[in-house]
Amino acid sequence: MTNNYDVIIVGGGVVGTAVLMQLSRYNLKTLLIEKEDDVSCGASRANSGIVHAGYDCVPNTQKAYFNVLGNRMFADHCRELDVPYRNTGSLVVCDEDGLEGLQVLLEKGKANGVRCEIIGRDRILEIEPNIGDAIQYALYAPDAGIVSPYKLTIAQADYGVLNGGEIKASEKVVSISHEGGHYTVTTQKGVYTSAVLINSAGAGCMEIEKMLGENLRPISYRVGEYFVLDSTEGKQVSTVIFPLPTKAGKGILVAPTVDGNVIYGPTSTPVEKGDDVSVSQSGLDTIKAGVSKTYKVPAFRKVIRVYAGVRTEVGSDFVIEKSSINEGYIKLLGICSPGLTSAPAIAKHVCDMVLGFISATAKSELKSLPKHKKFTAMDKEELDQLIKEDPRWGRLICRCEKVSEAEIVNAIHSPFPATTVDAVKRRVRAGMGRCQGGFCAPRVIEILARELNIPITSVKKGGEGSEIAVEPIKSGIATGEEE
């Protein structure tokens, strides 16, 4: 059976879900197809979460335009989605020899319309007391900030679904044809048609291009590795600290997160494949050396996790354009940094492009996402009242992050539901604390099995073949068989 839509989006990252959210404001039938079992499983899961000010982008490029516009939209965008956002500002720091490089960044920033200035050590210490002893100058950009990239992506998906959009997860596109003004997209589970097709497939974007007979462009990948520090370190860092950037990237940063942790990273190492998220000892050593140059109190003994993400590059700029070969095909290629910051602006632009292909009216009413109630944000009186209404608020499942059973159940039954342990983790942070799920994971598995009405042995960590429980460890005792 073929399912018909006005628009199909391939790829459930921060840009793809932002487009879904924007299109859901119109009377359009829109589908997003994602090959993984959740949104935000690629680069959007594993980037720095920095809302860049825009001084680093080459003037008059797509990156510069959408970065600056997206930055201006970001606070309101997050407020609408009830996603935590902090306007921290950022510092690009250097020693005596780096002043000329800061001047270059300053001129870029001015050309892009970014508020920024070069400041000396006394002013730097007022903003960030733990700056490295060798640091003498910094480019200060007050409009930079931080956000959780996966929470933003998930909230955009929830908003899109709540307002009529659809998401098909765990469906990899295997073929696409374009005939009679319509696209036929075939996955391993279904066949879907649309008048407009949007390629937001991230690392897999050239696979979609190839299926449509487009002229392929060179594509490259860079892996970025990170350290995550315990939330006890959150009080040590108040802003985002960058070194002077190089051709490889923005360098090893030190930054707080909206959830109270601190991150060090990323590296920028070329890799052959877009799914290579392995962490190397050499990469971690590079981070250690880089952090020590800009930040005087690194706390590597407080590391609770390491991870990596892959940045996909298609040339030196974003590719946001209509196809010259296939009518109604929109390309979003190479949306690497500052893609997170640019996402709201890109989505608005793409929506306008879609409306150029299909005439559609804005919806007269839109549904708002409910406010995310958090155990940690409530006072005793409010929590006591909630527990009377729903005892699950009184059952603490994740002790490190103080996540209640009610929050986990709400995540499982959200507009775009969490169906795996990792999906729950991304939504409510159960398993993101000091023990990294050592205590709460079994409870989360039990709750998922109960709420989804599936066997415990069918609950996945996240991804194909990632089932955690194989069989009861005492299965043989009841029958008298040997274990």
Side-chain angles (χ1 to χ4, degrees):
M1 178 180 175
T2 301
N3 302 276
N4 302 314
Y5 296 87
D6 296 310
V7 184
I8 292 176
I9 305 161
V10 180
V14 69
V15 175
T17 56
V19 173
L20 177 71
M21 174 183 173
Q22 191 66 31
L23 292 176
S24 74
R25 302 180 192 270
Y26 291 83
N27 290 299
L28 291 166
K29 190 176 181 183
T30 305
L31 170 68
L32 185 149
I33 300 174
E34 167 57 44
K35 68 177 182 177
E36 303 296 342
D37 53 26
D38 194 12
V39 296
S40 193
C41 285
S44 300
R45 170 192 62 81
N47 68 48
S48 305
I50 309 302
V51 181
H52 294 286
Y55 51 75
D56 188 43
C57 301
V58 176
N60 301 313
T61 60
Q62 301 239 47
K63 284 185 177 181
Y65 175 79
F66 287 109
N67 184 160
V68 175
L69 182 57
N71 177 281
R72 292 170 183 166
M73 297 170 66
F74 225 88
D76 288 341
H77 186 64
C78 290
R79 194 175 298 113
E80 180 179 15
L81 294 170
D82 192 32
V83 171
Y85 165 75
R86 280 172 55 193
N87 175 213
T88 59
S90 68
L91 296 167
V92 181
V93 300
C94 67
D95 59 18
E96 291 280 1
D97 298 329
L99 187 56
E100 186 176 341
L102 289 189
Q103 292 285 357
V104 172
L105 283 184
L106 179 65
E107 293 307 313
K108 281 185 181 179
K110 288 180 178 179
N112 292 337
V114 177
R115 288 201 303 157
C116 53
E117 61 177 318
I118 294 177
I119 60 177
R121 184 168 178 83
D122 289 346
R123 178 90 181 279
I124 296 170
L125 289 171
E126 292 176 6
I127 297 168
E128 191 55 77
N130 289 320
I131 207 72
D133 291 335
I135 300 304
Q136 296 299 318
Y137 301 103
L139 181 76
Y140 176 53
D143 294 324
I146 56 175
V147 72
S148 168
Y150 42 87
K151 285 184 180 178
L152 177 63
T153 304
I154 290 163
Q156 291 173 165
D158 277 341
Y159 184 100
V161 171
L162 190 64
N163 285 288
E166 295 181 41
I167 298 176
K168 300 287 185 183
S170 298
E171 295 203 26
K172 181 176 174 59
V173 175
V174 295
S175 70
I176 304 174
S177 63
H178 182 208
E179 296 177 1
H182 282 81
Y183 292 89
T184 300
V185 180
T186 303
T187 73
Q188 80 275 31
K189 294 183 179 179
V191 180
Y192 313 96
T193 68
S194 67
V196 175
L197 178 67
I198 300 170
N199 181 355
S200 186
C205 64
M206 285 303 155
E207 295 176 30
I208 305 301
E209 290 275 278
K210 187 175 181 180
M211 291 176 189
L212 288 165
E214 294 284 329
N215 296 319
L216 302 184
R217 307 169 194 238
I219 187 169
S220 60
Y221 310 102
R222 287 183 175 273
V223 68
E225 296 143 296
Y226 295 85
F227 285 107
V228 181
L229 280 73
D230 191 16
S231 57
T232 56
E233 287 301 296
K235 63 182 180 295
Q236 301 288 357
V237 188
S238 60
T239 190
V240 182
I241 306 169
F242 294 101
L244 269 173
T246 67
K247 291 181 179 179
K250 295 180 175 68
I252 305 299
L253 61 80
V254 176
T257 74
V258 289
D259 295 302
N261 302 96
V262 173
I263 56 172
Y264 301 159
T267 54
S268 183
T269 307
V271 289
E272 292 296 320
K273 299 188 297 182
D275 59 355
D276 184 356
V277 292
S278 57
V279 175
S280 67
Q281 186 59 55
S282 62
L284 299 181
D285 289 343
T286 297
I287 296 173
K288 289 180 178 180
V291 168
S292 300
K293 293 176 182 177
T294 62
Y295 182 61
K296 70 178 182 181
V297 290
F300 292 102
R301 295 184 69 177
K302 297 290 185 70
V303 171
I304 61 172
R305 186 176 179 83
V306 296
Y307 71 94
V310 175
R311 182 169 79 231
T312 301
E313 297 176 336
V314 180
S316 59
D317 199 4
F318 296 160
V319 177
I320 302 172
E321 64 185 29
K322 302 174 185 176
S323 169
S324 60
I325 300 172
N326 294 287
E327 181 74 12
Y329 173 50
I330 298 171
K331 310 176 180 201
L332 307 178
L333 316 178
I335 313 295
C336 54
S337 181
L340 171 68
T341 313
S342 304
I346 291 173
K348 180 70 168 60
H349 179 70
V350 171
C351 183
D352 291 340
M353 294 170 76
V354 170
L355 295 176
F357 291 120
I358 304 175
S359 179
T361 57
K363 291 178 179 175
S364 56
E365 291 186 14
L366 291 167
K367 297 177 181 178
S368 298
L369 289 177
K371 295 294 182 182
H372 297 91
K373 294 179 180 178
K374 291 186 66 176
F375 183 97
T376 53
M378 298 182 201
D379 58 29
K380 185 178 184 302
E381 183 178 343
E382 184 180 4
L383 192 55
D384 285 346
Q385 182 58 40
L386 267 179
I387 291 171
K388 289 179 182 178
E389 298 169 4
D390 183 352
R392 293 174 298 190
W393 280 101
R395 299 180 196 135
L396 210 57
I397 303 301
C398 176
R399 288 179 281 179
C400 296
E401 293 292 319
K402 295 182 175 58
V403 181
S404 69
E405 181 178 354
E407 291 166 277
I408 294 170
V409 170
N410 288 341
I412 294 170
H413 297 292
S414 58
F416 180 63
T419 60
T420 68
V421 173
D422 282 350
V424 168
K425 180 179 178 180
R426 282 187 284 270
R427 284 158 178 77
V428 298
R429 293 187 61 78
M432 282 200 178
R434 194 170 301 166
C435 82
Q436 289 290 293
F439 288 98
C440 67
R443 298 287 305 281
V444 173
I445 293 170
E446 291 173 356
I447 295 168
L448 278 163
R450 182 191 73 209
E451 296 297 318
L452 298 175
N453 195 27
I454 60 175
I456 283 180
T457 51
S458 295
V459 176
K460 297 179 180 178
K461 180 182 182 295
E464 192 63 32
S466 64
E467 291 82 4
I468 299 171
V470 178
E471 63 180 16
I473 59 173
K474 295 184 179 180
S475 60
I477 292 177
T479 61
E481 299 172 4
E482 290 188 14
E483 294 184 55

